Amino acid sequence: TTTGRVFISKNADKSSGSVKYTRLDSLAANSPGRFISGIAVDPARPNHAWIAYSSYSALTPATPGHVFSVTYNQGAGTATWTNLDGIGGPGFPDFPATGIAFDSVTGDLYVSNDWGVLRLPNGSSNWEVAGTDLPMVEVAGLTIVPSARKLYAATHGRSAWLLTLP
């Protein structure tokens, strides 16, 4: 939601009166109360997702961050939020994140912002520019086709771009 609320349902295929939701953002003190710009669910672990937040950390200094790894423990009723913005090395800038996509083949995470697309390589805490051929423009959406090794980036005013993934 626009106030940063995140819900999970384990029976969303039921009739509307039977669906049960668990609110996850209230289970962690470090969940930013800002607009959620994207969610990528881990295809191998459905209780794990990556969440991208818009706006600036400076607006919520007690809960900074733009990119989080979120793991829900259904049995314990808890959720762990890990800020992936980075510490020390090249971190995710204090720009609004505008989209997010997970590469299930390599484990890399791609997040877009007002200046392009950044990549967080699997196992790293350092963000890097995803591709040198992408324009420095707002990228509003990302889609990965794992079998084709392609990342599609929808930009604001510069059309859609295609990046071949490693």
Side-chain angles (χ1 to χ4, degrees):
T1 68
T2 58
T3 57
R5 292 182 178 174
V6 178
F7 299 87
I8 190 169
S9 174
K10 293 302 189 172
N11 69 341
D13 58 342
K14 301 293 182 192
S15 65
S16 62
S18 301
V19 176
K20 292 184 176 27
Y21 296 94
T22 301
R23 184 173 168 191
L24 299 183
D25 62 290
S26 61
L27 300 176
N30 64 330
S31 167
R34 299 191 315 267
F35 177 80
I36 295 169
S37 56
I39 298 176
V41 178
D42 188 337
R45 299 183 305 151
N47 284 339
H48 178 237
W50 296 270
I51 299 177
Y53 285 88
S54 189
S55 196
Y56 300 92
S57 290
L59 297 176
T60 57
T63 54
H66 297 88
V67 184
F68 288 81
S69 171
V70 179
T71 303
Y72 174 55
N73 182 329
Q74 187 174 359
T78 60
T80 303
W81 295 62
T82 303
N83 185 338
L84 300 179
D85 279 18
I87 300 170
F92 194 88
D94 191 10
F95 295 151
T98 54
I100 190 165
F102 173 69
D103 184 351
S104 60
V105 173
T106 63
D108 295 347
L109 190 64
Y110 293 84
V111 178
S112 57
N113 61 39
D114 288 349
W115 304 104
V117 181
L118 297 177
R119 173 179 166 250
L120 181 63
N122 187 15
S124 177
S125 61
N126 297 330
W127 290 88
E128 59 189 40
V129 175
T132 57
D133 293 335
L134 294 172
M136 288 186 67
V137 66
E138 177 192 348
V139 176
L142 298 173
T143 300
I144 291 179
V145 179
S147 60
R149 304 305 305 136
K150 303 292 183 189
L151 169 74
Y152 293 91
T155 72
H156 178 79
R158 295 289 307 269
S159 189
W161 290 72
L162 175 66
L163 179 68
T164 300
L165 299 176

